[in-house]
Amino acid sequence: MRRSDPIIIGAGPAGCAAAITLAKGGARPLILERSTETGDALCGGFLSWRTIKSLERLGVSPNGHPVDHLTVFWGDRSTSAPLPERALGLSRRAMDTALLSAAVQAGAGLERGVMVRHLDDLADRTDTVFLATGKYDLKGAERPRTARDPAMGLRVRLPASAALTQLVGAAIELHMFDRGYAGIELQEDGSANICLALRKSLLTEHGRDPRGLLQSLGRSHPAFGARLDSLTDTTPIDAIAAVPYGWHARQTVPGLFRIGDQAGVIPSLAGEGNGIALASGRSAAEAFLAGGREEAPHWQARFGRQSGRPIGRATAIWHTSEFAMGRGLILLALSLFPKLGPAMASATRIEA
Ligand SMILES: Cc1cc2nc3c(=O)[nH]c(=O)nc-3n(C[C@H](O)[C@H](O)[C@H](O)COP(=O)(O)OP(=O)(O)OC[C@H]3O[C@@H](n4cnc5c(N)ncnc54)[C@H](O)[C@@H]3O)c2cc1C
């Protein structure tokens, strides 16, 4: 490997999008990935029409569960609106496997089971790094964490059943509650992905017991409870702590491209992190191919401006939904103006 060959840290959607674009553009990227096999990353698994286009531009044709409308729930009230275009429910295992295989096929190198601990560890091997470590910060390039009551994510996958197919069908469901919300949709195998974005204090109030919290939310929100019917004492629940929603990078140094969640973190379900991951990975790689390592600060500033708008709008929706009055307003606005749902969904998505 030459020192001018770029290294990508992380084989999530951002790292793979960069690897595919770099390899197709004639560079010789190497991906370093800490896990030894592709798992099912904690994610809502919702792919909008724009993210589907991004995947197709990278040569990946996603084959997921069709989603054509949004239903928003609060307590015993709900309202539905059609999506502007067809979306998909797709597990991260399926999407990440397809992306990584496209990257390797395009010519990217891959080393698995390699945990990079500090940015400086790569100084002898390359002069250009694409930082795509997603939720995890790397020493030497940490994102600021200032929230007093940080956001966190929980995810549970429930097996396919006739009851869930009938309840959820072709919807992306958003269940709002105090200090958080849950997104529910079916995935390519008919299983239901139930993903929550919430404040840490809510979990603390439930004795830091995710199962207890889900059961309690199910009791106080009957529609949500109906969807959790097959949750058992042994169903695995994944968790991710301290998600810096709303943060986005505006600057960097030559030779360091921050992509995916390392470029910006859009509130889950209100916006679409995978869309930002694919768009940033591809456009950062194009900037490198056009102008080399010196392009990093210019690209980061440009992408910061581009992603700042959808991230700001999604953050406003997230904050509004955190309070009872805000939740009432969202539900009222969506039922009075059904076109608002599709408009909001488009305004919080990044261009492919
Ligand atoms: C609760 C929740 C729900 C969500 N729902 C959705 C949704 O429905 N739709 C959507 O579009 N987005 C959703 N997102 C956001 C989405 O999951 C992220 O934006 C997306 O995963 C970012 O991709 P990435 O490639 O930047 O990082 P990741 O997908 O996190 O990938 C990072 C990769 O880097 C590797 N890595 C990390 N550290 C190191 C290291 N030091 N050395 C080597 N390798 C390393 C990891 O193993 C991983 O493979 C959700 C997020 C949360 C928290």
Side-chain angles (χ1 to χ4, degrees), residues 8-21 31 33 38-43 45-47 51 54-55 58 60 90-103 130-135 259-262 272-283 285:
I8 299 163
I9 317 175
C16 287
I20 294 168
T21 312
I31 307 174
E33 166 56 50
T38 303
D40 196 17
L42 190 158
C43 185
F46 175 77
L47 298 188
T51 304
S54 273
L55 283 169
L58 293 164
V60 171
L90 187 71
S91 70
R92 281 294 299 273
R93 189 190 301 282
M95 183 173 83
D96 292 6
T97 302
L99 277 166
L100 189 55
S101 130
F130 285 77
L131 185 63
T133 53
K135 301 153 185 77
I259 56 177
D261 278 1
Q262 292 292 324
E272 203 177 5
N274 289 327
I276 289 186
L278 295 173
S280 61
R282 184 178 49 77
S283 75

